[in-house]
Amino acid sequence: MPPSTITVGVLALQGGVVEHIALLNRASASYPSVTFHFLEVRTPEQLSLCDALIIPGGESTTMAIVARRLGLLEPLREFVKINNKPVWGTCAGLVMLAEEASATKQGGQELIGGLDVRVLRNKFGTQVQSFVADLNLDFLGEGEGPFRGVFIRAPVVEEVIDGDGKVKVLGTVKKPGEEEDIVAVRQGNVFGTSFHPELTGDVRVHAWWLGNVVEALGQGGEGKGLVVGKGKGDAGKVY
């Protein structure tokens, strides 16, 4: 049985913290048997209270520097890679959760890791080249229709580096005249998206992720990973 109370943190160093919490509150209505607490996380002590975590967008180099100064970087790595708690990173959060990153600033940047991928920062250019695209996200379920993805200085996954199938590609985007890019991936307890679901009115990705959190914690919590959504006839296998 899932726990009756779950605390979900949103790393509050940069980005759409308020927007994520607003959609989480709406999404939580899908799980009336669970009481959710949503917490802005700025300290290791606040992180220790969390059962799951969202790392929002922003500027990944700055986020890493601030996390280091606040004593959060090592606790975040422990949260993701040792305690194996459910984590979702959007845009810069995806960069932070990658094991490798390209096009970093001079001197590189520190990463949390957890996803065996290499990401390319700012794949689509500057702020003025931001765009919106319809995404077919099968994990949301059949017949749900496309999800409107908001891409702002977005990264993409340019290479899966694990080589043994642990990383699951959950979403792609293709701009006219360009090759298809990977924009949503999952590996065990870690989920990452290049786009910003929190900047839409569409609650579906947040509801799907909260469902995975409930399922993962209900099956023993640490080390159980995320559950694949039940779209395309998937029975909800735990990886």
Side-chain angles (χ1 to χ4, degrees), residues 31-48:
Y31 307 97
S33 63
V34 179
T35 299
F36 287 97
H37 297 297
F38 301 119
L39 174 67
E40 295 186 12
V41 173
R42 296 183 179 89
T43 68
E45 292 73 23
Q46 290 168 333
L47 181 64
S48 70

Side-chain angles (χ1 to χ4, degrees), residues 155-179:
V156 298
V157 173
E158 64 176 354
E159 185 178 355
V160 174
I161 60 177
D162 76 321
D164 59 6
K166 291 181 182 178
V167 177
K168 307 297 181 184
V169 175
L170 299 185
T172 61
V173 69
K174 188 178 187 306
K175 295 188 73 177
E178 298 185 11
E179 294 185 358

